[in-house]
Structures are given as C-alpha cells and as structure tokens.
Amino acid sequence: MTRAALVAPLLALAATFAVLTVVGPLSDDTISDLFVYRTYATAVLDGAHPYADLGFEYPPLALVPIVLPGLGPESAAAFEWRFGVLMLLTALAVQAAVGALGGRRAAWLCVLLPVLAGALLRTRFDLVPVALMLGGLVLVHRGRPTAGMAVLALGSATKLFPALAAALVLVHLLATGRRRAAAYGGAAFLLVLAVVCLPFAGEGFLDQFRFHLDRPVQIESTPASLLWFLGDSTITGFPVRPDPFKSNGLDGGPADAVMLIFALLAMAVLGVCAGLLERARDAPHALDRAVLAALLGFVALGKVLSPQYLIWILPLAAIAWTRGDRAVAVLIAAAAALTAVYFPGDYFDLVDGDDGTAAIVAARNVLLLMALGVSLWSLASADRAGAPARSRRRDAAASP
C-alpha cells in the first residue's frame, strides 16, 4: 500500500477519532483510567521509582504513554488532552500497520474503530502495544524477523499480550525451516526485554505479576458469565467487600475451579494455534490468522475481560475481513458494539448484580467464543490449503 493511498483513510480516521470519542454518545468517559494514569505520571515526575516507591501493575514501557502526557501544565484537563492526542497519533500508526498487512480496504475499515470502541481509544493506552504488535508483524512479513521480534518485545514490555504473537512468530519461523532466523529473533526478543526490564528488577517488579495472578475473576469475563449462572460467588471491589485490584470481581463458591478450567482452556487454545500454524506453514496469512485466534482465546477465555481488550483484536478483524474471514470480523465487531450497550453507562448495574446487564455481557462473551471457534476453523482450513504445497515439495525432493 503506497503512502499516497493511505492519506485519505488516515484523514478519515483522524476525523472520526476527534469527533466521535470527544462528543456524542460514544464519548462517554465516566469510567476512565485517566485519573490513575495521571496519578502515576505525577508520582514518577516527582521522583518516585516505579515498582520500588510506586506500585505499578503494568510492564515498564507502559510508563512512556502514561508519563509523557504529564509533561506540561499540571491540570487534569491538560493531561487528558495530551493523552488523547497521543492516542490519536497511535491510532494512525495502527491504521498504517493494518494497511501494510491487509491493504487499503483494511485501512479504510480502521475508520470504524472510534465507532466500535468510542472513548476507550482515548482513555486507555492499549493502542500503543497494539501498534507495536502490528509493527512487529509487518517487519516479519517483510523478511526482517529479528527486527520484528525486537519490536514485539517492545510491545510485550508495554502490555503482555504481544508476547503471544512473538511465540507464534517463532513457531512460524521454525515451521518454515528458518531456524537461524528463529534463533536470532528469539535472542533479540529476550535482549530487548532484558534491556527494558533489568533496570527495574527487584521485589517490587515481581508485584506486577502477582497482581494479575492473584486478582479474582473479573465480572465482565467469560468465566464470570458462567459464575453468574452457577451462583454462590460474591462480587468484590466495593466497600462491603473491597479488593486491591482496581476492578470488580467474583470470588468464593466455584470461582477458583471455574478460573482454573478456563485458564487450562486458554492454554490449550494457544497450543492448538501453534499446532495448526505449524501445519499450515505454506498457507498465505496463516501467521496472522494464528495471532488473531490466540488473542481471541486470551480475551474470550481469560479471567479478565476489560472493555479495552476489544481494541487488541479490532484491527486484526479489519485485516481478516479483507482476507475473506468475514464471519470472524463480523462477530468481533458485534461483540464490540454489544460492549458499548452496557459500558460505561450500565456497568454499575452489573456490579449491583442486575441480571439484564449480566445477560448482555454474557451475550457479548458468546460472540467472542463464536469468533474464536470460527477463527480456529479458518486456521485449520489454511492447513488444508497448505497441504498441496507440502506434497509438491515432498514429490520434488523424492524425484531423481
């Protein structure tokens, strides 16, 4: 995709982002992480050391999009404005990467991101690791796997989910016989992580992992939807039953057993993605399909499903649409639209145990599970498409 062809969709996305995330019904930011980010930024700029003096639940590079908007006038409005501009620029970077991977139509589909995600785009920093993940995949596809793995490490050091893409890139490189590239790419990934993380090493650094391991099932997740049905679990995160995880969860009753079952299912999905990718190594777009399926498994089966997690998969859904995987794209878009039905306006109805809101969340989660199933089927179909090429290679190798 040429730079000239990208100008129009970039301008369109900038317009929809600037308008729809700021005014109108999609701009509701009554539940926002901006106050938390500003608190972190102020503390760091005042000299606090992350993980040592300041409890911080994100990887180290998350400090960049959090602290940068804190430079300048110290007011909440100024911080929010600067953060919003930073996320707009990041959204354009995401769109450019989507265009590089999926072509001009995929770039145009990114114009719908503000329609489907609304204010989440400008009140969370999730676009940053998404941009790094997609940028890493672009480099891998352009024959630069070492650089791509280094960029994926930067994404993983911002938020952990790009590590799933990195693992699948290594599977793809090994499956296609590029062992040296896999070795160099793996080394680059580990080296970048070490350079970023070692300056923060210590007991406090490990707390970020304990934070995520110890937190209960979050009330918007698929495991929580099952727990709503089973009953006997208690909502956490409000004065009667507080917790330190800055969200609302469900614990007690069958919560631990359900959480373990879903964790095992998520790991199984990742294994299935790796296995199907290894078999489909000759098929076009197998890597991107495997990454989407793995992310869907993480989102749909994980114990936390915050609304901004949809931002991770919407750009990949745009790419999937242009490659014929339209059912997956439609299901993901429908899940994002259904998320906007209850969040943020009716979120506290869910906290209060409203069955109607819980049913909407459960329906959204079912859509994501359906998208996961269809994406795995698409990846398995790619395996079958790649079989003739493998057969031809074997026949050529056997020929005298």
Side-chain angles (χ1 to χ4, degrees):
M1 182 176 179
T2 65
R3 293 181 180 178
L6 189 57
V7 170
L10 283 172
L11 292 175
L13 176 59
T16 56
F17 188 108
V19 174
L20 296 180
T21 70
V22 176
V23 297
L26 300 175
S27 66
D28 188 348
D29 60 359
T30 51
I31 300 177
S32 168
D33 285 351
L34 290 175
F35 173 77
V36 176
Y37 297 165
R38 183 167 172 253
T39 301
Y40 288 148
T42 300
V44 171
L45 292 172
D46 286 344
H49 296 280
Y51 308 111
D53 306 324
L54 174 69
F56 192 63
E57 69 268 28
Y58 302 114
L61 278 187
L63 290 165
V64 175
I66 289 174
V67 173
L68 274 180
L71 300 172
E74 295 184 7
S75 71
F79 180 90
E80 292 179 11
W81 184 85
R82 290 191 293 265
F83 189 89
V85 170
L86 178 60
M87 290 305 104
L88 169 57
L89 296 175
T90 309
L92 298 178
V94 167
Q95 185 185 34
V98 167
L101 290 168
R104 193 165 186 261
R105 282 192 302 162
W108 271 109
L109 286 172
C110 284
V111 176
L112 296 176
L113 280 175
V115 178
L116 294 170
L120 290 170
L121 295 175
R122 66 169 177 83
T123 59
R124 311 295 196 279
F125 70 85
D126 291 75
L127 280 169
V128 175
V130 170
L132 291 168
M133 179 184 70
L134 294 174
L137 291 175
V138 169
L139 289 169
V140 171
H141 283 298
R142 291 183 175 177
R144 301 177 61 191
T146 302
M149 288 292 289
V151 174
L152 287 170
L154 293 176
S156 305
T158 306
K159 215 163 188 180
L160 295 177
F161 68 86
L164 295 174
L168 291 170
V169 167
L170 290 179
V171 170
H172 182 64
L173 292 173
L174 290 170
T176 51
R178 292 177 282 176
R179 294 183 179 180
R180 179 175 296 182
Y184 287 160
F189 184 86
L190 294 175
L191 178 61
V192 170
L193 281 184
V195 169
V196 172
C197 296
L198 283 179
F200 300 94
E203 187 67 19
F205 184 79
L206 298 177
D207 287 341
Q208 65 173 306
F209 301 104
R210 297 190 186 101
F211 178 94
H212 296 290
L213 290 172
D214 293 345
R215 68 187 301 181
V217 170
Q218 189 248 1
I219 60 172
E220 296 166 273
S221 66
T222 306
S225 293
L226 179 58
L227 289 172
W228 284 111
F229 175 77
L230 295 175
D232 296 329
S233 296
T234 305
I235 298 175
T236 70
F238 61 99
V240 175
R241 193 179 180 87
D243 70 28
F245 301 104
K246 305 172 187 176
S247 66
N248 301 102
L250 289 168
D251 69 2
D256 288 342
V258 168
M259 183 168 58
L260 176 61
I261 291 170
F262 274 85
L264 293 173
L265 286 173
M267 288 188 287
V269 165
L270 181 58
V272 169
C273 290
L276 291 175
L277 177 59
E278 194 279 332
R279 292 174 59 84
R281 54 190 176 273
D282 299 300
H285 318 308
L287 174 59
D288 298 336
R289 284 179 168 135
V291 170
L292 176 55
L295 285 177
L296 277 167
F298 186 86
V299 170
L301 298 172
K303 68 176 178 178
V304 178
L305 206 176
S306 298
Q308 63 266 27
Y309 287 15
L310 276 297
I311 297 172
W312 304 357
I313 54 178
L314 281 169
L316 289 168
I319 297 169
W321 175 274
T322 64
R323 292 175 176 171
D325 296 331
R326 296 191 171 183
V328 175
V330 169
L331 288 166
I332 292 172
L338 206 53
T339 299
V341 171
Y342 79 88
F343 188 89
D346 295 334
Y347 174 79
F348 288 107
D349 292 336
L350 181 66
V351 176
D352 290 337
D354 178 69
D355 289 336
T357 308
I360 294 173
V361 175
R364 187 275 309 274
N365 295 342
V366 168
L367 289 174
L368 289 172
L369 290 172
M370 292 171 64
L372 171 60
V374 175
S375 67
L376 289 173
W377 175 261
S378 176
L379 185 56
S381 300
D383 167 29
R384 292 191 292 273
R390 292 194 294 274
S391 178
R392 286 193 298 270
R393 275 210 308 273
R394 286 194 299 268
D395 293 342
S399 299

